[in-house]
Amino acid sequence: MKKIHVITAMIASIALITVGFLGARLLDREDNIKVSATSIEERLKKCSDLTTARLEYRGIIRYEDGDIQYINKKSFSMIYDAHIKAGIDLSQAEVSLSGKEITVTIPEPKVQDIVIDPDSLEFYDEKLALFNWTKKEDTAKAMKYAKEDAEKKAAQTDLIKQASQQAKTVVTTLLAPITEDDGEYSIKIAEQ
């Protein structure tokens, strides 16, 4: 579990540095440009999908098919590695400006992608059946089960919570040039 947090922290740090650099370039403005909610929304929309947390998961599933032992019942266990990404869609962010306070309402983070690494598959306890032995279909079904298993695991972790915290940090970093240049604006991040 520590390894997952370390990997997530490293990825988040790299993402923050990258976003900070890109944010500084995206939000670089001349003195004669006035800050408006619309201009900030447009700049955030350019970022679109933003992955803010990642989970590396190693799982095991048990696959069975058929009902008569040795005739059509087959089974195996499969170990797999899954790469799970979570984040937000910045194109759905809403910005409001009240005096010198900029409020950015970001969408709730979601699991964006689950990828099962086919090179990581390991099969154990294989029991074949006389009349039910199509290996390709079994592997495809097992991959589907592995993806469902990884989805459940992602829901059991604090991946979405981490994605939310990182998204707030990233958006604050993206808008930092506005508050640093002017010094009068403050940023408030809220979730939908």
Side-chain angles (χ1 to χ4, degrees), residues 63-77:
Y63 175 80
E64 278 188 9
D65 187 34
D67 53 0
I68 303 171
Q69 189 73 22
Y70 304 114
I71 303 298
N72 73 343
K73 186 174 185 176
K74 59 185 170 183
S75 65
F76 60 85
S77 295

Side-chain angles (χ1 to χ4, degrees), residues 97-186:
L97 192 59
S98 177
K100 295 294 181 176
E101 182 177 85
I102 301 168
T103 302
V104 180
T105 305
I106 58 175
E108 185 177 321
K110 296 178 184 172
V111 172
Q112 295 172 318
D113 193 23
I114 298 176
V115 176
I116 306 299
D117 182 2
D119 295 333
S120 71
L121 302 181
E122 298 174 28
F123 297 92
Y124 297 97
D125 301 329
E126 292 183 78
K127 294 180 182 148
L128 302 175
L130 186 60
F131 297 109
N132 187 3
W133 51 274
T134 39
K135 186 89 169 171
K136 291 178 187 176
E137 289 177 17
D138 296 339
T139 305
K141 287 179 185 176
M143 292 283 280
K144 179 182 169 213
Y145 295 150
K147 190 169 184 175
E148 290 170 2
D149 181 54
E151 222 172 297
K152 289 177 190 172
K153 181 60 179 177
Q156 294 171 354
T157 65
D158 60 346
L159 181 68
I160 297 299
K161 183 180 176 184
Q162 288 177 350
S164 174
Q165 292 169 345
Q166 291 299 329
K168 290 175 184 177
T169 304
V170 168
V171 171
T172 302
T173 304
L174 275 171
L175 299 178
I178 292 172
T179 58
E180 289 172 1
D181 289 348
D182 198 315
E184 295 179 23
Y185 290 98
S186 65

